């Protein structure tokens, strides 16, 4: 496997991880409190609303 490929993949994984750890704005209470609970499941820590969204990125 070429080394270039491995480097690209690592950069991509880092981006995905950053997005998955980021907090997102809740469409229900408008506060930035949505955190990833598990793959595709996001929950707002302020109003406890659960959302089904992207596996690593919230798409409200
Ligand atoms: Zn909320």
């Amino acid at each position: 496997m070429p080394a270039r490929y491995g480097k690209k993949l690592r950069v991509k994984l880092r981006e995905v991880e950053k997005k998955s750890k980021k907090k997102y704005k809740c469409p229900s209470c408008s506060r930035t409190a949505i955190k990833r609970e598990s793959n595709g499941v996001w929950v707002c820590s302020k109003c406890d609303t659960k959302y089904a969204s992207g596996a690593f990125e919230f798409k409200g």
Side-chain angles (χ1 to χ4, degrees), residues 1-12:
M1 196 199 279
R4 256 180 307 170
Y5 181 75
K7 194 183 175 185
K8 241 185 185 172
L9 194 69
R10 272 201 302 276
V11 169
K12 187 145 196 211

Side-chain angles (χ1 to χ4, degrees), residues 20-38:
S20 71
K21 283 180 179 161
K22 197 180 143 187
K23 280 186 182 174
Y24 291 88
K25 192 178 170 184
C26 176
S28 169
C29 68
S30 296
R31 280 176 287 196
T32 308
I34 289 184
K35 284 200 286 187
R36 184 175 168 267
E37 194 182 77
S38 59

Side-chain angles (χ1 to χ4, degrees), residues 26-31 33-34 44-49 51:
C26 176
S28 169
C29 68
S30 296
R31 280 176 287 196
I34 289 184
C44 174
S45 59
K46 298 288 179 193
C47 67
D48 284 332
T49 307
Y51 298 94

